[in-house]
Every structure is written in C-alpha cells, then in structure tokens.
Amino acid sequence: MLAAGTIGTPALAAGEKTTDLSVPETVSLCGQWWFRTDSGNAGKEQRWFGSDESISAWQKVLVPHTWQVDPALVDYRGIAWYRRSFDAPSEWQDSAVRVEFEAAFHTATIWVNGELAGEHARKGYTAFVLDVTHLLRWGSPNTITVRVDGAFNEHMIPRGRSSDWAHDGGIYRPVQLLITPKTFVERVDIEASPDLASGDGKLAITAYIRNTTPKSWTGRTSFRAIDDETGLTVLTSSDAPSLTLKSGATQTSKFEARLPKAKLWHFDHPNLYRLIFSIAGGQETHQLTVTFGVRRLEAKGSAFYLNGERVRLMGVERMAGSNPEFGMAEPSECIAHDHDDLKNLNCVFTRVHWPQDRRVLDYCDRHGILMQSEIPAWGYDTFAGMGAEPDADILQNALEQLREMTARDRNHPSVVVWGLCNEIGGQNPPAYQFAKHMLEEAKRLDPNRLCSYASNSLDKTPERDAAGLMDFIETNEYFGSWATGTPVEVAKHLDNLHATFPGKPVVISEYGYCACTEDRPEGDEHRIEILRSHDVAIRSKDFVAGAIFFCYNDYRTHVGYSGVGALKQNVHGVVDLCGAQKASYEVLRRESSPVESLTLENHLNTFKLRLRTRHDVPAYTLRGYKLRGTFYGGGDIPIERQEVELPEIASGTEKTVELTFSQSGVPLRIKFDVLRPTGFSAYSRDWKP
C-alpha cells in the first residue's frame, strides 16, 4: 500500500500533459537503529520498550536488517529488539501518521513512546500498517521500539522448520512513516483487462477511504489515469460523486471506466499507467497514486493465452535472501542485479516461494517478468499430525497471509498467478482441504486471476491430488535428481498428467539438479545435462504451457546440505551464493531463448542474417525486436555498431535481414545480439572470419 501527500490537483483533459507525479508523502525510517537480542525473553518484563530505556547494552545496525548474517548470531532463532528516534514536526498535528513495515520476520510488536501501537503476528512476508497519530509528541523526538520474534513456530505458515529457505529474523524490509490528512485514501485496487475487440482497457476501480476524525466527513471523489511513458493524462472521471463517511469509518467506493486504445502490458512491452485517485472535502484533499498495467493471462484448454495470443513460457526461479552478505535484508542494488540476470537468462515467467519485496515486483512490472507469487506453505510436515481437515490455526494464518498478499500486490501487472502452496502432499486429506480452502478464498478476493499450487505428489493417482482443483496443473519434476528416472520418465509423467487433466495446461513449476546428497555431488555438467535432456521431453508436449528451471542461484537455507553459518545452502543454481556464473548459466540462457537459431552469410561486411524462432517452449511472437551487430577490430576493440529493426516474427517461423558495416577491413570478430524491446539480449552469436 502506498500513501500520497496532501496536494490537490484538478482533473486534466485527456491528452493534456502533467508534470505532477503525486509523490507519496513518506518519511523513511530506514537507516540506523539500535539492536539487541533477548535470548531470555526478559525485554517485556524489564520494559525495554520504555522511552527512557537505556541503550548502553544495544548496538547500532542498519535497517533493513537481519541478524542471521552476523557470524555470532547466525544460528540464533529467537527474540530481538530494535529501537530508534524520529521527529514529528508540529505541522503534522492535523495529519494522520501511520507507520508501515514492508515485512518483519515473523512476529513484530511495536511501541511508540513506550505505549503499545500494535502487533503483526506470525506473518513474516507481508506488509502491515499501524496508525500511531495518537501516540506522537508533536514538535519533539519520538521513540519507536520493535520486538521481533524469529523463532520456529508450529502455529504459522511456514510451519516449524518446514521452510527450505533462509529463515532470517529481523526488520528485513523497508520501514516508513505515511503522513496524510485525517481523512485519506487508504488503498485503491484496480482490475485492468483488455477488451480485445475494441482495443480499450476495462477498468474496475475499488477505493478504500478512511475517516479518522471525530466527526463525519463529506466530500467528493475523482480519478485520472496517466500514461507512465509519456506523462499524458489519458482518462479522467466524468463526474465527482459525493461521499459521506462517519467518524472512524472506512468506506469502499467502486467505479468502472474504459481506457481508450490501451497500450497492453506484456513481458516484452511492459506498458504502465498511473491512476491518481483523489478525495476533496472543504480545504482538505488527499490523493493516492497506484501503478497498473492492462493485461490478461488466461488458461484455455491446454494452453496459456496472454492478451489473446497463445504463449508457451519459460523462466527460472530466484531464491531471495541468498547473498550471505545481506541475507533477506537485500539492498536495491542486489535486487536489480539479480533480476537483470533473470532478464539476461530470458526469464519471462517465474514463481517464488513467498510474497516478495515490493522492489522485486516493481522491477518485474517495469522490465517484464510474469510472476507467480506464493503463500509460504511448503512441505509435507506442514500437515503432520492433523486429521481430515487442517488445524484451524494453520489455516487461519495462511488465509490471513493470502489476504495481505492479495491486498498489497494485486495491482502489479507482473503478478499473474496466486500460488497457494508448494509440495504439501496434495493427496493427504488435510493438505487437500487446505488447498481447497485457499483456492476458494483466492477466488473470492480476486476472481479473475489464475491460481495454482506446485505439486510433487502427482506421480501416482494424480486424479486424487489437489492440483486438479486449480486453474492449471503444476508439477515439480526431479527425475534424475531427487527421483530416479530419465527423460523417458519425464515424457511419460507429462503424458499421464495430460491424460488425467486433458482440459488444463501443464506447467513444470520446478526442474533441475540439486547437489544435495552424498550420492549427488556438485558437478555443473549434471545440471547442464538435466536441463538439456528434460527440455527435449518438455518441448515434445504441446500441452505444456510453461517450464520454470530451479534455480537461478545456490540458495541459503537452514536445512542446507552444504556450507556452514551464513553460507549454509543447497547447491542448485546456475550462479553461486555470491552471483558468480557457472557454465550452466549460458546453457540456460540459450535454452530459454525464443530464438532457435541465427545463421548468416557475409559479403564484404554486409551480412545476410536468417533468424528462426522456436515453435515449442518457449514460443511467442517477437514484436519490436532489433538485431544488433558489434564490429571488433584489432586488440578486440569494439569500433562499430549497427542495428536493424526486425519484422514481426511468429513462433516457429524465420525472417531474413541485412546488416552492413562501413568498415572495409576484416573484423577480428562480430557479436550479433537479438534485442528485446526492453533492451535485453534474447540471443547472442559471435562470428569470426
């Protein structure tokens, strides 16, 4: 959730340019905090949250922060405290002031000036907001104290030790104050889908407006949409409906609108819009800006369709928090680096095991990666000891996480699938019922987004698995790694799934090679062999709509089979913990490219290039692509670059273009790149005379 400032802006006519970006009025609370552990759980009794508590026993840290990368605390799973001061200027007295934690793992209790502000319990991957207006001291310093519990817990998702990833405690994502009028737009949900017949975008807008004043509030609402690329206003609300809110009430207002000739969002064309939703009452105004894209991913028959076009998708999963220098407290530079790598690896479709940092989703929105965002329910042990139904506390906790994930992330056009669980043993009665309840709630919250779950229990009696409830079938297949078998068994497994679920697409939600047991030592050649041979089997099945390699990186996990301390890990990736590329990196890049081949003829430095696209996974139409050639002379120095625009190329077809260099000499080499509209290279070839 984002909160905007108190600047009121009149509506502009469609096509009129605006320079007002409606920057949310926030005050960052990232940076220096005081920190201490509490292994004896004495802090509450000793009132460490007191505003006059001595900090002599505390140490300085930088938030976002996790103590799990500190060598002295790497194995500490328990309670720790954070504390800092901030100013509340006198001019804020007529405002509502809230504090937003983008995530704290996993239970956070917050005090302001020694008074309890609230708690967010057993939900370590979702954001939460607390109103602290009534606790502030205007015109003077204020103290905020946070008690974080990162211990393994049997009454939450992930349950106990069932999570096979970095179980990092702390305030590991950004924190900020949100300063708004006392009546403000709390949240705006947008469902933006294309009308393929007319070319318009259909918008369903739901605004949540909150009145924190002691009196009723009366005002009007309006909204406008801005093309993020051009800054032009492309839609304004036709009227300004009046609105009355009782004291302390939150009201929901719904609107429908059409965005004329909308620029659709696509992984190769990530077109974005900003919607500015405003309320005005007397002298008080408030507006909230949210970003959205117009797109639709559908499962029809045994195929995926993106904006009406059949696509077969490919990608790789990244396990966040794996760099041992940062852990889950990843800086923006780390997030951007890794996702630049994903784009370079031709990743257009990925999934994640838990709700991601907002900066991850923003990257995927702006650079074009389709995302399955997932509730962190992993493993058979999640339902150990349960009867026919999941335990009430586990189900309730998971539903709360689903609601919070959906509320925060539903406007991201990159998020096209809600993942409801992973490898839970979907034929076990409580696991089956859990998945069923989660699906029902996901469809109630967001009826038009696809839902699925990554199953590893489809090898026998797949018709009994909860996977059959979902919009498409996801299978984690590890033949030749975790399971015995060859690519022949991969093909048989896929055929069996299609025979069982003939009306649904099949996605390989994980495949790869893990050096996770003594009989499977690390050897990147094994990873390459699994990748290539399984891709042959996957590509032979027309009903396979997507495949996600696992994984991008060797990943930190408390159950790791390799390494110690902050380097405890599972060796599973095409890069290591610190991002160094293995030989399998380039193989994955080539395997995931929509370009099958690039052949050429040279006539005195005029090159005739024939590009052929894949007809199988991955398969989609290339639109707006370019072909670039870089001429390298003596000393391997680049001395000339030429580009030519490629015509539209459908999957399974080929086109020929010419590229001419002005150099008359013989090059040392020429590097050719097929460039996506986003600027990332989809295919490279070095040519030498």
Side-chain angles (χ1 to χ4, degrees), residues 158-176:
R159 185 185 182 197
R161 297 175 179 266
S162 69
S163 56
D164 182 20
W165 55 78
H167 199 279
D168 286 355
I171 306 175
Y172 69 96
R173 288 182 186 163
V175 189
Q176 49 265 336

Side-chain angles (χ1 to χ4, degrees), residues 81-152:
W81 292 70
Y82 294 84
R83 181 179 175 184
R84 67 160 289 165
S85 296
F86 64 93
D87 289 329
S90 299
E91 53 265 32
W92 290 3
Q93 290 190 61
D94 294 327
S95 300
V97 180
R98 293 168 290 157
V99 59
E100 179 188 45
F101 292 81
E102 293 193 24
F105 193 85
H106 54 73
T107 296
T109 310
I110 297 91
W111 292 264
V112 173
N113 295 325
E115 299 294 329
L116 181 65
E119 184 178 68
H120 189 248
R122 299 180 301 281
K123 298 186 285 287
Y125 302 100
T126 50
F128 61 98
V129 178
L130 299 171
D131 192 329
V132 297
T133 312
H134 61 294
L135 301 176
L136 297 180
R137 298 168 181 164
W138 307 112
S140 63
N142 293 261
T143 300
I144 183 169
T145 308
V146 183
R147 177 186 185 268
V148 176
D149 185 352
F152 293 109

Side-chain angles (χ1 to χ4, degrees), residues 276-329:
I276 302 174
F277 192 94
S278 303
I279 60 171
Q283 297 298 312
E284 189 174 68
T285 63
H286 181 239
Q287 57 187 30
L288 180 98
T289 301
V290 293
T291 301
F292 69 95
V294 182
R295 61 93 185 91
R296 180 190 295 126
L297 181 69
E298 300 173 280
K300 296 192 296 186
S302 59
F304 279 160
Y305 291 82
L306 179 59
N307 300 331
E309 175 191 350
R310 187 182 179 187
V311 292
R312 302 181 72 190
L313 306 170
M314 200 164 182
V316 57
E317 180 173 351
R318 167 188 181 261
M319 294 292 277
S322 290
N323 188 308
E325 183 176 351
F326 311 114
M328 283 289 191

Side-chain angles (χ1 to χ4, degrees), residues 182 263 567:
K182 289 185 179 294
K263 295 157 61 174
L567 278 73

Side-chain angles (χ1 to χ4, degrees), residues 545-571:
I548 301 173
F549 188 76
F550 191 86
C551 74
Y552 163 68
N553 49 348
D554 297 343
Y555 63 96
R556 291 177 57 246
T557 169
H558 64 94
V559 293
Y561 292 86
S562 301
V564 296
L567 278 73
K568 195 171 185 181
Q569 63 186 280
N570 280 340
V571 180

Side-chain angles (χ1 to χ4, degrees), residues 514-558:
C514 178
C516 297
T517 59
E518 290 184 2
D519 62 318
R520 291 203 309 276
E522 172 60 1
D524 202 42
E525 66 276 8
H526 301 310
R527 190 166 292 107
I528 292 171
E529 172 58 25
I530 289 284
L531 173 60
R532 285 176 168 159
S533 62
H534 286 222
D535 281 354
V536 171
I538 290 166
R539 289 180 172 131
S540 70
K541 309 302 178 185
D542 186 64
F543 53 82
V544 172
I548 301 173
F549 188 76
F550 191 86
C551 74
Y552 163 68
N553 49 348
D554 297 343
Y555 63 96
R556 291 177 57 246
T557 169
H558 64 94

